[in-house]
Amino acid sequence: GNNGNTLLFYPASFDNVLNIASTSSGDGKSGFSNYGTSVDVCAPGSAILAAQYDDSYAPQSGTSMASPVAAGCAAIIKSYFPAFNALQVGEKLRVTADNIYGLSANASYQNLLGTGRINLLNALTVNGPSIRMNNIVVTDNNDDILIVNDTMRLTGDIINYLDATT
């Protein structure tokens, strides 16, 4: 979304969809780009040279520019790792992204830009796990009203989608 807010934007915020935010050439969040906890990764989306209707090229900006950059990277990952399913391709993009939270431009967006800006070279050359916890249930084994000094119980399924880990 190009509303510059944290509201969920669909279809990007659906489960099993890679939600892409836009960055500028300096890796700062593009001013127009939505952000939030539903974002998976960022991709360049400001001033991207694009074909025009009159056989020319001009810079365009928007998450509609960032999304195809991510989709192209996903296609290349799939060609390098043909046994990967769609979820694994997305996880490879997510876990190999460059952390951009240290930039002053992103100081107010901590944990709201996914895992960072996609890095295709890392995705093709860096191995590592992708561990996610799904089906999370939190209880207190009593009345399920969590208060000070309650002992919480957390259950769920922990799944590794990529390389082995210990």
Side-chain angles (χ1 to χ4, degrees), residues 20-29 39-45 66 69-70 73 92-101 103 106 113-123:
I20 310 296
S22 173
T23 58
S24 65
S25 61
D27 280 342
K29 183 190 82 65
V39 170
D40 292 299
V41 290
C42 299
V69 170
C73 290
K92 192 73 160 168
L93 273 175
R94 198 180 66 74
V95 301
T96 59
D98 287 336
N99 183 335
I100 57 174
Y101 288 114
L103 300 172
N106 297 328
L113 299 174
T115 58
R117 192 236 325 114
I118 58 174
N119 182 325
L120 182 57
L121 180 61
N122 282 352

Side-chain angles (χ1 to χ4, degrees), residues 44-60:
S46 291
I48 304 297
L49 198 59
Q52 302 299 297
Y53 65 91
D54 62 355
D55 294 329
S56 67
Y57 293 89
Q60 298 290 321

Side-chain angles (χ1 to χ4, degrees), residues 18-160:
L18 204 58
N19 190 330
I20 310 296
S22 173
T23 58
S24 65
S25 61
D27 280 342
K29 183 190 82 65
S30 299
F32 55 81
S33 181
N34 286 12
Y35 56 98
T37 56
S38 67
V39 170
D40 292 299
V41 290
C42 299
S46 291
I48 304 297
L49 198 59
Q52 302 299 297
Y53 65 91
D54 62 355
D55 294 329
S56 67
Y57 293 89
Q60 298 290 321
S61 295
T63 53
S64 292
M65 297 287 109
S67 180
V69 170
C73 290
I76 293 169
I77 291 168
K78 178 66 175 170
S79 75
Y80 270 67
F81 304 100
F84 277 12
N85 61 35
L87 185 87
Q88 289 172 304
V89 169
E91 288 300 296
K92 192 73 160 168
L93 273 175
R94 198 180 66 74
V95 301
T96 59
D98 287 336
N99 183 335
I100 57 174
Y101 288 114
L103 300 172
S104 60
N106 297 328
S108 58
Y109 302 107
Q110 292 299 308
N111 303 313
L112 301 176
L113 299 174
T115 58
R117 192 236 325 114
I118 58 174
N119 182 325
L120 182 57
L121 180 61
N122 282 352
L124 299 177
T125 60
V126 175
N127 293 324
S130 173
I131 300 169
R132 295 275 195 137
M133 187 169 185
N134 302 315
N135 305 317
I136 299 168
V137 177
V138 179
T139 63
D140 71 352
N141 209 27
N142 182 13
D143 56 7
D144 291 332
I145 300 171
L146 302 175
I147 60 172
V148 175
N149 294 321
D150 254 356
T151 299
M152 295 178 14
R153 286 166 179 78
L154 179 69
T155 61
D157 301 322
I158 298 173
I159 301 170
N160 180 11

